[in-house]
Amino acid sequence: MPAMSQTPLAYTPHDHDLCVKSALANAEAICVRQGVRLTALRRRVLELVWQSHKPLGAYDILAVLSEQDGRRAAPPTVYRALDFLLENGLVHRIASLNAFMGCVHPEHAHQSQFLICRNCHTAIEMESQTISEAITAAARSIDFVVQGETVEVIGLCAACRKAV
Amino acid sequence: MPAMSQTPLAYTPHDHDLCVKSALANAEAICVRQGVRLTALRRRVLELVWQSHKPLGAYDILAVLSEQDGRRAAPPTVYRALDFLLENGLVHRIASLNAFMGCVHPEHAHQSQFLICRNCHTAIEMESQTISEAITAAARSIDFVVQGETVEVIGLCAACRKAV
DNA sequence: AGATGAACGTTATTATATAACTTGGAGATC
DNA sequence: GATCTCCAAGTTATATAATAACGTTCATCT
Ligand SMILES: [Zn+2]
Ligand SMILES: [Zn+2]
Ligand SMILES: [Zn+2]
Ligand SMILES: [Zn+2]
């Protein structure tokens, strides 16, 4: 699997087919280790989510399953698959977009931190210990115990700033 | 107006009627300064949002306007008022809850940072420069320019930890 | 009073997500 | 191999959140 957490993958040109393939292989391994079943449907949904580095909506997934795969799918089909992937840390939900992104380092539990480009809609996952620590510190100062973070930053990526 | 940004107001017992009243007075002043109209409806919506320290959904507001105020209200009525309040920095939207909160320091533009108690649903607004700086630094390191932050932290507040 | 434009009312629709129940199918048990 | 069991997926209906498009009212300025 390519080193995805160091330089943000979404930025740099890369072999994206390989990128998707390795994400799926990684997911298989994780599911085996966790003793959970990555069924064909769940695998396919994960693949679709991974096929772009942009957040994907549940109904976009649904459309592909219905129109492209010819599967009889209704909303629960997609949401159940997404729930499974979320529970097992294979995707993240982006609340501010009602959309989903493949997780770039699902091996270990972690918080959800994203940079989202307003122009090209690419979402880049961060894993900044500094941000998490700042949040924990701020929370502790008013006696609040953190269970989960949602950090979603909107702005402009390097490529889009150059383009404009 | 009570000092709301120092010790989190939502935590401490306080004269909440006064709390709401001063928020409204503050809003009036801001709207005058900005040359925008805080109409009766907008004022009322702001009041409802402020009447709890918990995030309030658009349809909750709608229900009060219809049932309690006897006003003929449909979703656009509420959403337009909320849009106005958002534009003028008087309320924040909490993406992870699809809900709205009165802003505790609407005098100056700032990012939205919230601690949300999983148990009592109280939402406490933070204004941590440290968090913002950590985000900006992490973004800069991969050449991303920040335009807006969404920080929504879920966990347990002091009161609820004691209660359990 | 009449013109103007913003705010609000009204109706309909779109987008997102879940509830509740049924059917199917992989793996365990006999 | 047949049966049992349980989880996954199909199915139908509905809940919840948000917006589009158009008409009406009302404050304000001339
Ligand atoms: Zn890729
Ligand atoms: Zn991740
Ligand atoms: Zn209060
Ligand atoms: Zn605020």
Side-chain angles (χ1 to χ4, degrees), chain A residues 37 58-59 75-76 79-80 93 98:
Chain A
R37 290 168 51 194
Y59 281 76
Y79 282 103
R80 276 190 295 237
R93 178 166 192 276
N98 294 329

Side-chain angles (χ1 to χ4, degrees), chain A residues 1-2 4 9 14-27 43 46-53:
Chain A
M1 171 150 227
M4 289 190 285
L9 191 55
H14 64 281
D15 182 342
H16 189 54
D17 284 346
L18 175 62
C19 177
V20 174
K21 230 181 117 188
S22 56
L24 288 175
N26 200 6
R43 200 190 135 91
L46 181 59
E47 185 182 22
L48 290 176
V49 167
W50 259 101
Q51 271 174 359
S52 97
H53 286 282

Side-chain angles (χ1 to χ4, degrees), chain B residues 9 14 16 19 53:
Chain B
L9 189 56
H14 63 280
H16 189 54
C19 177
H53 285 284

Side-chain angles (χ1 to χ4, degrees), chain B residues 67-87:
Chain B
E67 292 159 23
Q68 218 165 296
D69 293 14
R71 183 191 265 272
R72 281 195 219 145
T77 304
V78 174
Y79 281 102
R80 277 190 293 236
L82 287 170
D83 285 344
F84 170 88
L85 297 171
L86 285 168
E87 273 165 23

